[in-house]
Amino acid sequence: MISEKMMPLLRNNSAIRMMFEEGNRLAALYGRENVYDFSLGNPSVPAPPEVNQAIRDVLEEEDTLLVHGYMSNSGYEDVRQAIAQSLNDRFGTGFGARNLIMTVGAASALNIILKAVLNPDDEVLTFAPYFVEYGNYVRNYDGKLVVVPADTETFQPNLAVFRSMINKRTKAVIINTPNNPTGVIYSGETIRSLATILEEKQKEFGTEILLISDEPYRELAYDGIEVPYVTKFYANSVVCYSYSKSLSLPGERIGYVVIPDEVSESRELIAAAAIANRVIGSVNAPSLIQRVIKRCLNAKVNVEAYDRNRSALYDGLTNLGFECVRPQGAFYMWVKSPVEDEKEFCDVCREHHILVVPGSSFACGGYVRIAYCVSYDMIERSMPAFAKVAERYGLNK
Amino acid sequence: MISEKMMPLLRNNSAIRMMFEEGNRLAALYGRENVYDFSLGNPSVPAPPEVNQAIRDVLEEEDTLLVHGYMSNSGYEDVRQAIAQSLNDRFGTGFGARNLIMTVGAASALNIILKAVLNPDDEVLTFAPYFVEYGNYVRNYDGKLVVVPADTETFQPNLAVFRSMINKRTKAVIINTPNNPTGVIYSGETIRSLATILEEKQKEFGTEILLISDEPYRELAYDGIEVPYVTKFYANSVVCYSYSKSLSLPGERIGYVVIPDEVSESRELIAAAAIANRVIGSVNAPSLIQRVIKRCLNAKVNVEAYDRNRSALYDGLTNLGFECVRPQGAFYMWVKSPVEDEKEFCDVCREHHILVVPGSSFACGGYVRIAYCVSYDMIERSMPAFAKVAERYGLNK
């Protein structure tokens, strides 16, 4: 009954599921308060109050048929115009409503762009460690995800190796900044170098290479660090955005893709992406929440709460002797495993009721991801358990 | 830049777009009130008041983190359980939460099922006239949509021809009842015969053939006609449902797929469909609206309004001499073109500011679709224009 393409996904799924169930199993055995589940990237900070107020206001002030009705597959024009204006104000870009397509989250944004451009066996490059769904998205369109190994010094993209891996089949590059799982933000210098390489390779091969920036964590940046806006660095850029983290609305499936006029064949790509939105079955981004977004362009989640978690966890773990990449954004900490096989480290953590994700799940073994979108209280409570793990490995001497 | 698979879709899209823009062009020239646009299947009846009340109640009574948060890719378990119970009460089925996956409308439901089962070159049968997106959905997974020609006497499925077209590559059959574009409801007898044929052919070829029932119009049935529930007739059945029409929420993208335990390898198929929901980029059905659905299981749109439109249009057009299939459900009337080439008929209608969709858009030339999800007033105002068209063809003598 099941298609051949789905079979490996089915097998892999049981592993993810087991991990999820492990949290529940431990909680049942030892009590929820004695389990430290750092495995999920699910926002712990609620949506800002403007969101629910905007929902009430939309219901009060707008026509029900419009609020719940069909619109263009690209989304409501006034919503897209308002977002474009907001981006222009923030980043000095020149977008109009025509450049935006509202999507069912960033996951759909990535899918419609990949569907619009990929031919079978086209290559898509990305940088380890990376969000493994990229591989599934690319395979949806029979493309091939090619992974540039990590620069484990900085966890900025390894550009020298990247350059050598581009060939005439390279159709796109996916970057994710602020990064899941490392928390690193790609600097302006990095983006500029990356753009230079892409321009050079486009010329060399006479091809168009699309830079796809996956940015669900854009608004979660700390210490005043700026997240460069890629479309200003490289013409063939598109941005996939989501409100899942910036407004804590992951369940609502709301985001957009920006396709600037500067992209090669931009009118056709915009049309193709809108058709793809229809054809993959999304049809359009959910309507009420689109109307809400228009009213919440200046709303912000409580980023300070994540920042506080970040400091507590970073200070706590480094004091215990763990080697951590200091996160600049998102809500993940990337921690070096004290032993080469990080799965063994994960097992030891689990013995102390700490759940973390092995780096091999992001194609980068030897590290683990700790998601700190949790309660501050849980971070504090987890420290004695982490101390025991550190002791086990002789770290805190 | 654009993938080869998207190119025909891009070309075709301009035709749809031109049609859409024709309504605006005519309205600008002659005034909106003098244009009779029957081309779109967009509900004209607003969502019942229970929906907006439920939204307010959910915001008031439920935890914001839960309401807007991630849940299982299958949807909230309590929502699925409530829908399963409601189906069991109505149809005497035995579903549990495990048998349902909440989806981004019926379009996503169809996509995740097709992704879960189709291998390249698998055939999917459907009956003309049919919703042309089926072809795109099937091609998403490199399957081949094979169309059974219409029985133009009854517009019930042509089962004799259907039987002859099933072969060992036949993986699935899509039916749509109440039907877009004909308004016909498949009788219990029809479904029973169809099931018998499928069982016989499964045995003959030693294959599993999945019957996919696409049911966004289930609740729009007139004259007390029952819409049979297919899972009671044939074990390998799944039902793709949407609240787009039943609660007038087309923009919200909310529906589900039911995969009964009786389906071959049902556990694997349920798991594969949930993974497909994630991997095609939907991830999950929008969260707030899921929670609203749980509170609106007994809410109903004003079907009487559509029924009144149906009678006015049917009586009006048949009195003018047009030959119409009397619709039993949905909000479409299927009208025989007075000339063989129905596109010529559409052109003549357009000269009188009437917009209808040619049957060739549903793989069934010689007919046109008139969507009567419009204001009653517009139907009344359009009658003199239809009278002129009838006169042109010498119908009303």
Side-chain angles (χ1 to χ4, degrees), chain B residues 318-396:
Chain B
T318 50
N319 282 339
L320 288 170
F322 289 101
E323 204 176 303
C324 309
V325 177
R326 187 171 168 79
Q328 303 171 299
F331 40 47
Y332 305 108
M333 185 133 5
W334 189 240
V335 180
K336 191 162 191 205
S337 167
V339 281
E340 204 183 322
D341 179 2
E342 89 282 3
K343 285 184 183 162
E344 185 199 307
F345 175 52
C346 290
D347 287 342
V348 170
C349 286
R350 189 154 51 236
E351 283 170 27
H352 294 87
H353 310 169
I354 299 168
L355 299 178
V356 299
V357 182
S360 48
S361 297
F362 304 92
C364 186
Y367 289 79
V368 301
R369 187 191 79 173
I370 303 187
Y372 57 82
C373 44
V374 296
S375 70
Y376 184 78
D377 182 53
M378 190 184 99
I379 293 175
E380 284 199 316
R381 275 185 289 115
S382 71
M383 280 303 145
F386 275 117
K388 282 182 199 153
V389 175
E391 203 174 325
R392 167 84 163 262
Y393 288 108
L395 297 181
N396 47 349

Side-chain angles (χ1 to χ4, degrees), chain A residues 62-78:
Chain A
E62 302 186 26
D63 175 15
T64 294
L65 267 176
L66 177 91
V67 167
H68 301 303
Y70 280 126
M71 82 296 307
S72 143
N73 299 131
S74 301
Y76 294 109
E77 182 152 0
D78 64 325

Side-chain angles (χ1 to χ4, degrees), chain A residues 10-251:
Chain A
L10 255 185
R11 283 189 291 268
N12 188 250
N13 197 50
S14 3
I16 300 175
R17 207 186 159 81
M18 265 175 61
M19 182 144 174
F20 180 74
E21 281 167 1
E22 183 65 8
N24 290 332
R25 195 186 66 86
L26 289 174
L29 278 173
Y30 304 107
R32 183 70 62 188
E33 71 285 4
N34 298 314
V35 178
Y36 318 111
D37 189 345
F38 293 98
S39 65
L40 294 175
N42 198 7
S44 55
V45 167
E50 290 94 325
V51 168
N52 285 356
Q53 190 54 50
I55 295 173
R56 292 188 185 94
D57 293 345
V58 168
L59 296 186
E60 194 71 35
E61 296 163 17
E62 302 186 26
D63 175 15
T64 294
L65 267 176
L66 177 91
V67 167
H68 301 303
Y70 280 126
M71 82 296 307
S72 143
N73 299 131
S74 301
Y76 294 109
E77 182 152 0
D78 64 325
V79 175
R80 292 183 285 136
Q81 183 56 46
I83 297 171
Q85 192 54 55
S86 155
L87 292 172
N88 296 344
D89 292 346
R90 290 175 65 191
F91 304 114
T93 46
F95 305 135
R98 69 187 174 284
N99 300 112
L100 273 87
I101 298 171
M102 303 303 296
T103 60
V104 174
S108 271
L110 288 162
N111 268 282
I112 68 175
I113 285 295
L114 293 169
K115 183 169 179 69
V117 303
L118 286 189
N119 286 316
D121 300 322
D122 277 353
E123 294 186 2
V124 178
L125 282 167
T126 199
F127 298 92
Y130 72 99
F131 179 52
V132 282
E133 286 290 88
Y134 294 161
N136 294 325
Y137 300 164
V138 168
R139 278 186 293 276
N140 280 341
Y141 314 104
D142 298 312
K144 193 177 151 196
L145 189 75
V146 179
V147 182
V148 182
D151 171 352
T152 53
E153 286 301 308
T154 63
F155 286 100
Q156 293 274 327
N158 194 332
L159 293 180
V161 180
F162 170 65
R163 174 187 274 119
S164 73
M165 290 174 78
I166 301 174
N167 62 48
K168 64 178 194 312
R169 296 299 305 172
T170 307
K171 184 75 196 186
V173 178
I174 304 178
I175 61 171
N176 173 221
T177 166
N179 188 263
N180 171 15
T182 65
V184 160
I185 292 173
Y186 293 2
S187 66
E189 198 188 341
T190 296
I191 303 287
R192 200 180 314 278
S193 306
L194 195 141
T196 306
I197 294 169
L198 288 175
E199 276 156 11
E200 175 194 312
K201 290 291 174 181
Q202 285 191 142
K203 262 190 207 147
E204 181 180 339
F205 297 117
T207 53
E208 307 283 350
I209 305 175
L210 194 64
L211 178 61
I212 303 171
S213 187
D214 177 28
E215 305 191 350
Y217 300 100
R218 166 167 286 279
E219 321 307 341
L220 307 189
Y222 311 108
D223 304 328
I225 296 177
E226 297 272 322
V227 183
Y229 208 81
V230 296
T231 67
K232 299 171 72 182
F233 293 78
Y234 179 66
N236 274 338
S237 295
V238 299
V239 175
C240 297
Y241 187 84
S242 165
Y243 293 96
S244 291
K245 280 78 184 187
S246 63
L247 291 179
S248 283
L249 299 174

Side-chain angles (χ1 to χ4, degrees), chain A residues 3-4 68 115-116 140 251-252, chain B residues 3 68 115-116 119 140 251-252:
Chain A
S3 73
E4 281 159 31
H68 301 303
K115 183 169 179 69
N140 280 341
E252 303 298 355
Chain B
S3 73
H68 302 301
K115 184 171 179 67
N119 286 316
N140 280 340
E252 303 297 355

